[in-house]
Amino acid sequence: MSARISVVEGDITQQRVDAIVNAANSSLLGGGGVDGAIHRAAGLELLAECRTLGGCPTGEARMTRGYRLSARWVIHTVGPVWRGGDHGEDALLASCYRNSLALAVEHGIHSIAFPAISTGVYGFPLGQATRIAVAEVRRFLEQAETIEQVVFVCFGRRAYETYVAVMGYPLNSLGQLKADP
Ligand code: ADP
């Protein structure tokens, strides 16, 4: 199972996968953080296609082409804004992962990279968000045989170490993976 899920530290726009997931806002018209980076790397045609979609509700996902990205597709999903945890945040974040993966299956996508949805400007606590991300992806992969590779792309060391810990990988004293999981 773990062989189909990997964790890397890096920039999601540089990933060589069939689809990258964007942590978008509900307008789908671009923003800061990972959304801004994806639009900058993909070029203005991405924004033009996004304009045709009419937005996306929180927890759902929409797909576009990747334009100048090496990824052929971008799956835009809208994570919940953290409002203390009592406003359905966990369930909405889980549905971002499920709906993104469901779109990937529908379109015959074999490899997909996720950022840490909602953990930037939207303020979702990183550890809790990571546990949800890992649990949802693991559960989904049990019944989705066409998806061969899911990559969690961590922007920075703190996110990387959190993902590695939640995945249960052993780290050495330098914070490096001891062995391939
Ligand atoms: P949200 O509004 O869903 O919180 P953000 O873009 O603010 O979205 O942050 C989501 C996560 O994406 C954060 O963990 C942030 O560090 C990360 N991030 C920002 N830029 C990139 C990038 N180029 N590649 C991968 N992850 C990124």
Side-chain angles (χ1 to χ4, degrees), residues 62-149:
R62 302 286 186 268
M63 200 160 95
T64 65
R65 306 191 68 81
Y67 300 98
R68 282 194 247 151
L69 292 164
S70 96
R72 185 159 178 217
W73 306 107
V74 180
I75 294 173
H76 307 262
T77 188
V78 182
V81 176
W82 180 258
R83 292 198 288 145
D86 295 330
H87 296 82
E89 291 95 329
D90 286 4
L92 286 166
L93 185 62
S95 61
C96 287
Y97 285 92
R98 277 200 308 276
N99 286 326
S100 297
L101 289 163
L103 268 183
V105 168
E106 233 175 81
H107 290 86
I109 285 163
H110 298 300
S111 57
I112 179 169
F114 281 97
I117 300 163
S118 282
T119 67
V121 171
Y122 281 5
F124 209 115
L126 180 62
Q128 190 170 334
T130 305
R131 286 190 291 277
I132 291 168
V134 169
E136 286 306 320
V137 168
R138 281 183 172 154
R139 196 172 302 138
F140 196 95
L141 289 187
E142 280 170 18
Q143 47 84 36
E145 283 156 21
T146 56
I147 298 193
E148 292 158 13
Q149 190 64 29

